Amino acid sequence: MIRRSSLNGDERHLRLREIGLERGIAMRNQMFTGLQPSGDGLHIGNYLSAVKGVLALQETHDCILCVVDYHAITVPYEPGALRGRTLTPATEYLSAGVDPDRVTLVVQSDLPEHVELAWLLGCLMPLPKLEQLPTYKDKKARYGSPRFGLLAYPILMASDIMIYKADTVPVGKDQLPHIEFTREVVRKFNQTFGETFPEPQARLNEGAYVPSLTGNGAMSKSDGKGNIDLADDPETIRGKLARAVTDPARGRRSDPGEPTRCPIYAIHACFTPQAMLDEVAGGCRTATIGCLDCKRILADQMIDELAPIQARRAELIAHPETVRGVLAQGAATCRPRARETLREVRQRMGID
Ligand code: TRP
């Protein structure tokens, strides 16, 4: 049975929403994103881009944050280390203010339905598409001898998104090819078996550009020296800022600087209210404040904003059972929805 729609995927989705509204079914947009269970906590770059994006979306969307442990085993890894890491992303997002009453936090392996749908979708997609994805080629080059799971990674990711019929997927730039691939899977499925899934849209995590303290590019996980972590205590924050690179024109305190050339100023812009920020910029240009003064003001602002996050974080780390409870509740919320989609897909594919 082959049915085609004259609308493209996005138009079709809007139409489906209209039909829902006409019938008085209030449909909120569904957001889904996957979090890698890496052992590292978040740095302020992650906080200001990815996490703040989720904090904004939780107001308007149904949100699912999923710790993707089945994706984490597609390259060589340590079982003992992985086990300890599953709680980390949930702990960090909850500390940063994600509200567990509004956002569903869940662990991928608690829902084997994701894997079952991935198998069904994998039987639909041609192999060359998967071999051409840049993420696959990169990891193949990095780790050598790729496993089947690495090749299948984007299929599982498409399944994560599609099983909740998500339409909004916050990701970093590196993940865009995977979202494009997911859209292809959706189109292929809908064309082959009838209208079932919306075409998801990527939403880029780039609320703010946060430069590395070393002055080289953006703050990133692989560049430990250039980061400030959400978990850093006030002394560590002050120390890291004191050592950070500033505008090279300010060799001496009496040399005027240009804030737009200074990584510290870019970070200031993320934490400091506008009036104070203007004062700092003026003081830098006229050399009436020194870099150390400027950094001290930034440290005070940052320490204030991070204090409630750190208090929640300490509490959650002392009580991991709280995080486990949130994740168990998340699995209970997701399970009926995942099963319903699987039932529909199996029926359309003739496996019922
Ligand atoms: N591949 C994503 C990453 O490395 C994680 C991920 C898995 C994901 N499944 C997803 C992201 C579904 C968005 C939607 O960041």
Side-chain angles (χ1 to χ4, degrees):
M1 174 189 55
I2 299 189
R3 278 197 264 130
R4 277 170 208 274
S5 164
S6 59
L7 305 176
N8 74 27
D10 296 333
E11 292 164 347
R12 201 183 304 127
H13 182 55
L14 284 175
R15 183 65 198 128
L16 285 175
R17 290 180 58 77
E18 275 167 26
I19 294 169
L21 291 171
E22 281 159 16
R23 293 188 187 148
I25 307 167
M27 295 205 299
R28 298 231 299 170
N29 288 71
Q30 177 68 55
M31 176 275 237
F32 181 96
T33 197
L35 311 174
Q36 291 284 353
S38 89
D40 311 321
L42 300 172
H43 56 69
I44 58 168
N46 304 136
Y47 169 61
L48 293 165
S49 55
V51 183
K52 282 207 164 170
V54 173
L55 294 180
L57 282 169
Q58 72 181 3
E59 305 295 330
T60 51
H61 288 60
D62 278 336
C63 296
I64 300 175
L65 302 181
C66 179
V67 182
V68 291
D69 50 353
Y70 277 160
H71 278 114
I73 62 174
T74 56
V75 292
Y77 74 101
E78 281 285 334
L82 177 62
R83 192 168 292 118
R85 286 175 179 177
T86 314
L87 292 187
T88 305
T91 305
E92 297 278 308
Y93 273 73
L94 288 169
S95 323
V98 162
D99 175 359
D101 289 333
R102 285 191 291 175
V103 170
T104 304
L105 285 136
V106 68
V107 178
Q108 190 182 34
S109 62
D110 283 344
L111 290 153
E113 290 83 359
H114 288 219
V115 182
E116 189 173 346
L117 179 61
W119 176 259
L120 298 173
L121 300 176
C123 291
L124 197 66
M125 296 310 285
L127 195 54
K129 282 239 171 298
L130 289 162
E131 286 166 334
Q132 281 154 17
L133 281 166
T135 40
Y136 172 70
K137 290 199 211 156
D138 290 352
K139 287 192 182 164
K140 184 174 160 194
R142 178 137 47 109
Y143 297 101
S145 176
R147 293 135 191 220
F148 169 71
L150 187 62
L151 187 66
Y153 184 116
I155 294 274
L156 180 58
M157 188 162 156
S159 166
D160 293 337
I161 296 168
M162 290 166 69
I163 206 158
Y164 305 108
K165 302 194 177 179
D167 51 29
T168 307
V169 187
V171 283
K173 244 208 273 46
D174 62 315
Q175 296 296 312
L176 290 180
H178 288 156
I179 306 301
E180 203 37 61
F181 176 77
T182 301
R183 291 166 65 91
E184 281 179 45
V185 179
V186 164
R187 287 195 291 270
K188 179 101 183 206
F189 189 96
N190 288 348
Q191 280 167 12
T192 312
F193 299 112
E195 275 314 307
T196 310
F197 296 105
E199 269 184 57
Q201 301 270 6
R203 180 180 290 235
L204 265 192
N205 289 333
E206 35 177 29
Y209 174 74
V210 185
S212 162
L213 300 179
T214 60
N216 290 324
M219 221 174 253
S220 84
K221 270 197 191 125
S222 47
D223 172 24
K225 281 203 305 279
N227 290 349
I228 293 179
D229 294 321
L230 275 192
D232 284 343
D233 60 35
E235 278 332 293
T236 308
I237 292 178
R238 289 185 197 283
K240 284 182 175 178
L241 285 177
R243 287 189 297 276
V245 168
T246 56
D247 177 4
R250 300 206 71 183
R252 278 174 306 222
R253 193 185 192 284
S254 52
D255 296 332
E258 177 42 51
T260 53
R261 273 199 308 257
C262 180
I264 289 296
Y265 183 75
I267 303 177
H268 247 302
C270 304
F271 287 94
T272 305
Q274 192 61 46
M276 201 186 282
L277 192 64
D278 293 343
E279 233 172 88
V280 165
C284 173
R285 290 198 176 98
T286 52
T288 46
I289 65 167
C291 291
L292 282 178
D293 304 320
C294 166
K295 287 171 166 178
R296 212 169 293 128
I297 300 171
L298 173 57
D300 290 343
Q301 292 299 125
M302 197 183 278
I303 289 164
D304 264 9
E305 178 160 346
L306 300 188
I309 298 178
Q310 297 184 337
R312 279 192 295 264
R313 189 171 184 278
E315 168 123 22
L316 290 171
I317 287 175
H319 298 284
E321 68 281 4
T322 308
V323 181
R324 282 200 199 95
V326 168
L327 292 169
Q329 178 59 49
T333 306
C334 288
R335 191 161 290 119
R337 296 191 49 192
R339 288 201 175 146
E340 173 52 26
T341 305
L342 252 189
R343 189 199 56 73
E344 189 182 0
V345 167
R346 290 173 54 142
Q347 187 188 18
R348 287 191 185 270
M349 292 182 75
I351 312 175
D352 49 339

